[in-house]
Amino acid sequence: MPKKVNRVLLGLVGLLLLALGGAVLAAGTGASVPSWWPFDGPDDVLLSEADRTRWRDAGWWWPAVIAALALLVLFALWWLLAQLRRARLAEVLVDSGDGEGAVVRGRALENVLADEAQTLDGVERARVTLTGRRQAPRARVALRLPPHAQPAGTLSGFTQGPLAHARASARLDSLPAEVRLREVRHRARRVS
């Protein structure tokens, strides 16, 4: 789940719960609340007997309640699993040729890819993140290009150089990569 969506969703849920809790606390302590607020005193209940039993005899009520709660639980589980999932690949499984295999730290492979990419002409800075599975990693690459760089040549040099070297050294059948090219911000030159 993208970080921005996660933060916005957490912020909205937090604000909603804070407002709801504050309103219930204010009503419970005897503070004045709006007339539409269902809970208006320390001895009042949130749902009256009539509200709780209104649709009890309707055939659609209990299946609708159970379905809504099941969807809420499934959404909460999906959200929890999205939080626990690692964004980065911790290790890459390398076929050593003897049937045993070896493991390379994901950060080490990321650093090697980034360092080799920075040696290319037209790359000022590089960041690499490995995602995916141990047996089938994927690379997300961000290359910062100076003003004089040619994006097509830089991209071709990266795929034929560092990316090909990483794929060959880890004996991977493929190493798909998403490469984002961005310009390095610089000040405008003044001409007098």
Side-chain angles (χ1 to χ4, degrees):
M1 177 180 297
K3 287 181 182 179
K4 290 180 182 177
V5 173
N6 190 22
R7 287 181 181 153
V8 168
L9 195 55
L10 279 174
L12 289 175
V13 168
L15 284 175
L16 178 72
L17 290 175
L18 185 67
L20 187 64
V24 169
L25 184 63
T29 58
S32 64
V33 292
S35 61
W36 53 266
W37 186 249
F39 183 74
D40 55 355
D43 298 325
D44 196 10
V45 293
L46 193 56
L47 291 173
S48 67
E49 181 75 24
D51 288 337
R52 285 182 282 145
T53 59
R54 182 183 310 170
W55 293 299
R56 184 180 285 173
D57 295 332
W60 59 270
W61 173 246
W62 288 114
V65 168
I66 291 171
L69 291 175
L71 286 175
L72 185 65
V73 166
L74 287 176
F75 176 72
L77 285 175
W78 170 77
W79 195 7
L80 177 66
L81 291 176
Q83 303 311 308
L84 296 177
R85 187 180 60 200
R86 288 186 178 173
R88 287 192 140 144
L89 194 59
E91 52 191 29
V92 176
L93 189 61
V94 177
D95 181 17
S96 59
D98 61 359
E100 291 293 321
V103 176
V104 175
R105 281 191 18 222
R107 293 267 175 137
L109 191 55
E110 289 172 357
N111 291 339
V112 168
L113 262 168
D115 290 345
E116 191 174 350
Q118 287 178 356
T119 63
L120 294 172
D121 185 38
V123 175
E124 201 162 294
R125 201 170 353 143
R127 265 191 15 235
V128 179
T129 304
L130 292 177
T131 60
R133 297 187 330 260
R134 291 173 19 143
Q135 300 86 359
R138 304 174 73 78
R140 284 190 310 202
V141 183
L143 299 177
R144 299 278 182 167
L145 308 179
H148 71 279
Q150 296 177 352
T154 303
L155 182 61
S156 175
F158 176 76
T159 56
Q160 294 172 2
L163 194 62
H165 295 155
R167 186 175 50 244
S169 65
R171 292 192 179 180
L172 297 170
D173 295 332
S174 67
L175 181 56
E178 173 187 330
V179 181
R180 294 178 185 240
L181 304 174
R182 294 193 179 151
E183 64 189 353
V184 172
R185 297 182 187 265
H186 58 88
R187 293 184 179 177
R189 293 184 183 173
R190 294 185 181 218
V191 178
S192 54

